[in-house]
Amino acid sequence: MRKGLLMVAAAVLAAGTTASLAGQEAAKSGSCECGTHPPAPPKDRVVEPYAGEPEDLSPYQKFAKPYDLNYIRPNIYTGAGRDIPEPTNPTEVRIGFFGPIEHSPEQVFGLRMLHGAQLAVEESNARGGYGGKPFKLMLHNDYDNWQAKAVYGEDRATDPTIWGAASNEVVKMVYDDEDWAIFGSISSESTHIALRVALKAEIPIVNSASTDPTIPETYVPWYFTDLQDDRVQGLTLARHIYTELGLKRVALLRVNSRYGRFGVLKFRDASRRLGHPVVIEQKFLPGDTDFTRALKIIQSSHTDAIVLWADEAPTAGILRQMKALGMKQRVFGSYRTLGPEMLAQAADAAEGFEAVFPYDPTRDDPKWLSFNARYQARFHEKPEQFASLAYDAMNALLDSICKAGLNRARIHDALADIAEYDGVTGHMIFDPNQKNVSHMFLGTLHNGTVSYHVAKMAPAVRPASIARMEGMSSPGQSNAPYARVGEDGVIYAGPHRPNAPAGSLKVVLFGPHADAVAQSAEMQAALRGVIGLSAQWTLVPVASDQNWGAASTQLVHALMDEHALAILALDRDAAHLAEQLALKTFVPVVALSEDKMLTSTNVPWIFRLPATTTPASALRLIEMAEEKSGPNPEKLRDVLASGQSIDGIAFLSTGEPNVK
């Protein structure tokens, strides 16, 4: 593997000689300062709200203002690193490059990131480098799974979850290569580990590709990134989907990796705070190509839209398969869903697709067009987001090295001193955590072309709930609650349930002395059925006055293996446990209890009757409701929740009895 990296490095150096003309064209700024006027430690400053987060999307803002806020001030390095003397006669200035550039599923992204960084280094060297000394990238592959070598040999599996590999490579960059800074990586797992090493080794890490918001939130001061993170992406998408478009029922479909798992967290939070919790979340494994099952589940959940957190190839596959299934939901995506591969593979199936993007690649300002021309001449392809952002981030690093000199702590100071930056991708704004928090763009696909416009997190009008909280509402404004919970009833909007197997229908009788109750004359008479009903019934008694672990096991067996159609809970305690299992197994519960808390949790499967109701009456109710619904637990729930009178009993849509 190391041989392969050396071959890549040799190709880089050879090709660098061909970029001199392009470098000369780009090199019209002054020469390197070489640390003659190093920056002072970063000044304390306050930037709030954190990451530009709007009030209505911030935690607890509808209830109370917090007494303190994290991440709004810089985490200033206070060590002794600034006093380390510079080397006297360096021959080159080394920068470690850490990314997936071979034997990796993200290799194509890693190489584009490398190309953007290379172009910045080549152009800087054409301007004279660091006082006549060249900058040099020291290449290190991410996902170098050394732990599996004994099993797989040299051609072994790669896995980003093997964290020891990342730490080994970073240690080599710090102590073997003696790099002045590290550039990378894409994987947030590897970047997190690199940051831990950087904390001990006191070396800056510059990133242009990882969107995990928890990386800068570690309070490690050595990190700098020019890419808006998942917080900015998720909140921007939520604002567009819920506030601007008025959609309400949204599903998530994401890759089951850290990128997908952490990527959707802020969108989920924003959805809940805007009053529209995500309806359903489906996952797929990296490398999957068949998304039909997940899409059918989403289709049966009656959603208005789908948000994808994935890469371009799976996004294209999802869009094609949605079209084949006849799905009409609007589709939105994170920034990695949008690019040339997706456009080519999805074709007309991508019509109307929208995704957030860190900049506008269609603008025509001279700096952007010149960069595109130079990059295309050098690498024979158009620069996409991984290349363009890497070019900007590397230039910010090179400028900081020239300002600070060859001292890692002062290089950190120069990076931390960047509050605003104008790169080829546009104007950037950096918060005290040294991350880009400028607004994003929304790319919309129409007739095979993507158009971009500014997309902001902030609402056009200040939310009334926030104004009321601060006492700023107008005198005539209503003090209505900002949300309603449960008053309008609950519905089941998940995947449709299959019918129970043919034969006798089963009802779980769960409660104290369930066996004795099942054998009582009243229950046996009810089992023989109501005159005119056709179904045959069987009781499955499960005693609640035993160890609850044993009771739970028996309940699961009755529901999952014996396919019981419903649960009849005989008292409050049994009803609460039955409700939790019903939420997972999708079967209705008729509970004999006075505890109204059972129906206050927005669980659509619970129906409460007064504790004075006899078990036989409750069983007859289930039998007569099944005659209307058929042997299907979902349809049985719908009949019970419909409000119609069955054997003189009716329920509200909340599951409470309708007492007139």
Side-chain angles (χ1 to χ4, degrees):
M1 181 176 291
R2 194 68 177 171
K3 180 180 179 182
L5 293 177
L6 292 174
M7 291 176 65
V8 172
V12 169
L13 294 174
T17 60
T18 66
S20 60
L21 291 177
Q24 291 168 13
E25 179 186 341
K28 294 183 179 178
S29 61
S31 60
C32 180
E33 299 176 34
C34 299
T36 53
H37 302 288
K43 296 179 181 179
D44 190 19
R45 61 187 179 118
V46 177
V47 177
E48 54 181 324
Y50 170 52
E53 196 171 62
E55 290 175 301
D56 60 335
L57 296 182
S58 298
Y60 308 112
Q61 285 294 329
K62 294 173 181 175
F63 308 102
K65 283 192 173 297
Y67 66 87
D68 193 21
L69 293 172
N70 290 324
Y71 313 123
I72 62 172
R73 294 178 179 271
N75 184 18
I76 300 173
Y77 167 70
T78 57
R82 298 180 183 91
D83 299 328
I84 298 174
E86 294 192 26
T88 55
N89 190 26
T91 59
E92 60 189 10
V93 178
R94 295 180 174 182
I95 298 171
F97 180 92
F98 185 43
I101 52 180
E102 64 176 7
H103 305 312
S104 168
E106 293 185 338
Q107 177 177 331
V108 63
F109 304 140
L111 288 174
R112 288 170 177 168
M113 184 174 75
L114 174 60
H115 291 163
Q118 284 172 355
L119 185 60
V121 168
E122 290 166 3
E123 292 179 350
S124 179
N125 285 340
R127 295 192 293 268
Y130 182 85
K133 305 298 191 299
F135 291 104
K136 181 180 180 181
L137 290 180
M138 307 299 290
L139 306 186
H140 290 258
N141 189 40
D142 197 359
Y143 303 174
D144 180 7
N145 190 354
W146 57 271
Q147 290 183 317
K149 182 176 181 179
V151 178
Y152 296 103
E154 291 295 340
D155 188 19
R156 56 195 183 277
T158 58
D159 187 351
T161 63
I162 305 297
W163 281 20
S167 57
N168 271 14
E169 294 302 312
V170 177
V171 168
K172 291 175 186 176
M173 285 185 268
V174 174
Y175 297 106
D176 295 346
D177 296 346
E178 297 182 342
D179 297 329
W180 294 103
I182 295 172
F183 192 94
S185 177
I186 295 175
S187 157
S188 64
E189 294 101 324
S190 299
T191 308
H192 260 293
I193 286 298
L195 197 60
R196 298 310 191 275
V197 179
L199 179 62
K200 297 296 184 183
E202 298 189 346
I203 184 171
I205 293 181
V206 173
N207 189 281
S208 64
S210 182
T211 56
D212 185 345
T214 66
I215 297 174
E217 290 171 0
T218 54
Y219 267 132
V220 175
W222 297 95
Y223 186 74
F224 176 95
T225 180
D226 69 342
L227 173 60
Q228 301 95 324
D229 64 18
D230 290 323
R231 179 187 301 274
V232 179
Q233 292 186 51
L235 270 56
T236 302
L237 276 173
R239 177 67 67 205
H240 178 61
I241 292 170
Y242 299 115
T243 306
E244 296 174 2
L245 298 180
L247 302 176
K248 296 179 179 180
R249 297 182 55 79
V250 177
L252 280 170
L253 180 54
R254 65 168 177 85
V255 62
N256 195 16
S257 66
R258 187 181 176 94
Y259 162 60
R261 186 170 66 255
F262 275 71
V264 301
L265 291 178
K266 301 307 175 185
F267 179 82
R268 281 211 310 255
D269 289 345
S271 300
R272 187 176 64 253
R273 288 166 190 151
L274 290 175
H276 306 292
V278 168
V279 173
I280 192 169
E281 180 175 336
Q282 291 291 295
K283 297 164 277 191
F284 59 89
L285 292 173
D288 282 357
T289 57
D290 186 358
F291 311 100
T292 306
R293 180 180 180 277
L295 289 173
K296 286 183 176 179
I297 292 173
I298 291 173
Q299 188 177 32
S300 66
S301 299
H302 315 298
T303 57
D304 303 323
I306 303 173
V307 172
L308 307 180
W309 228 271
D311 286 322
E312 293 179 47
T315 298
I318 290 167
L319 293 172
R320 290 198 308 270
Q321 290 169 34
M322 284 185 65
K323 183 178 181 181
L325 291 170
M327 297 178 68
K328 304 298 183 183
Q329 288 91 342
R330 297 188 66 163
V331 188
F332 306 86
S334 62
Y335 95 104
R336 282 172 60 166
T337 60
L338 191 60
E341 284 83 1
M342 189 279 287
L343 298 176
Q345 295 175 28
D348 60 347
E351 178 67 24
F353 176 73
E354 295 180 88
V356 286
F357 208 73
Y359 57 91
D360 178 4
T362 62
R363 69 188 195 285
D364 57 1
D365 65 84
K367 181 185 286 189
W368 172 248
L369 295 178
S370 176
F371 163 70
N372 272 258
R374 301 194 310 274
Y375 184 94
Q376 205 160 356
R378 173 69 174 84
F379 298 108
H380 311 294
E381 66 174 1
K382 292 182 178 180
E384 43 69 87
Q385 58 264 46
F386 285 95
S388 303
L389 290 165
Y391 179 85
D392 275 345
M394 180 57 77
N395 271 319
L397 173 58
L398 297 174
D399 291 346
S400 296
I401 294 174
C402 284
K403 290 177 183 177
L406 298 184
N407 178 288
R408 292 170 177 169
R410 291 202 294 268
I411 294 170
H412 154 267
D413 291 344
L415 288 167
D417 199 42
I418 299 175
E420 297 187 36
Y421 187 82
D422 287 306
V424 297
T425 57
H427 185 69
M428 304 178 195
I429 301 172
F430 291 86
D431 72 357
N433 302 280
Q434 297 158 228
K435 65 176 183 179
N436 182 9
V437 293
S438 57
H439 64 74
M440 301 200 76
F441 291 80
L442 192 72
T444 304
L445 190 65
H446 179 60
N447 291 335
T449 302
V450 183
S451 60
Y452 295 84
H453 69 270
V454 171
K456 296 185 177 181
M457 294 183 287
V461 179
R462 195 158 186 265
S465 59
I466 299 294
R468 283 198 301 273
M469 184 192 71
E470 295 180 349
M472 296 173 61
S473 57
S474 59
Q477 189 174 11
S478 169
N479 287 320
Y482 70 88
R484 296 168 61 87
V485 180
E487 294 105 326
D488 299 324
V490 291
I491 61 171
Y492 170 67
H496 293 306
R497 305 293 298 147
N499 287 347
S504 180
L505 300 177
K506 296 182 173 72
V507 173
V508 177
L509 187 66
F510 182 45
H513 314 294
D515 286 300
V517 174
Q519 296 301 321
S520 67
E522 293 85 355
M523 290 298 283
Q524 290 299 311
L527 272 181
R528 288 191 288 273
V530 179
I531 296 175
L533 301 187
S534 57
Q536 299 297 313
W537 293 84
T538 301
L539 285 176
V540 181
V542 177
S544 64
D545 48 352
Q546 61 174 318
N547 179 288
W548 274 50
S552 299
T553 300
Q554 293 174 26
L555 278 172
V556 170
H557 172 71
L559 295 170
M560 304 300 292
D561 299 332
E562 299 190 47
H563 305 288
L565 189 64
I567 302 174
L568 174 52
L570 300 178
D571 67 358
R572 173 187 179 277
D573 292 344
H576 274 285
L577 179 58
E579 182 179 32
Q580 300 306 310
L581 289 175
L583 187 61
K584 299 294 185 183
T585 56
F586 308 122
V587 296
V589 177
V590 175
L592 310 184
S593 171
E594 299 297 336
D595 186 1
K596 295 184 179 181
M597 290 296 293
L598 286 165
T599 56
S600 69
T601 54
N602 287 343
V603 174
W605 300 97
I606 187 78
F607 299 90
R608 190 186 69 81
L609 289 173
T612 54
T613 306
T614 65
S617 298
L619 179 59
R620 283 195 297 272
L621 169 70
I622 294 173
E623 292 173 338
M624 297 177 71
E626 186 278 333
E627 189 71 11
K628 297 176 179 290
S629 69
N632 183 288
E634 179 189 353
K635 294 178 180 178
L636 177 60
R637 190 219 77 87
D638 292 344
V639 169
L640 291 172
S642 66
Q644 59 184 296
S645 178
I646 303 170
D647 197 25
I649 299 172
F651 294 98
L652 302 172
S653 60
T654 60
E656 277 291 291
N658 189 2
V659 180
K660 297 181 180 180

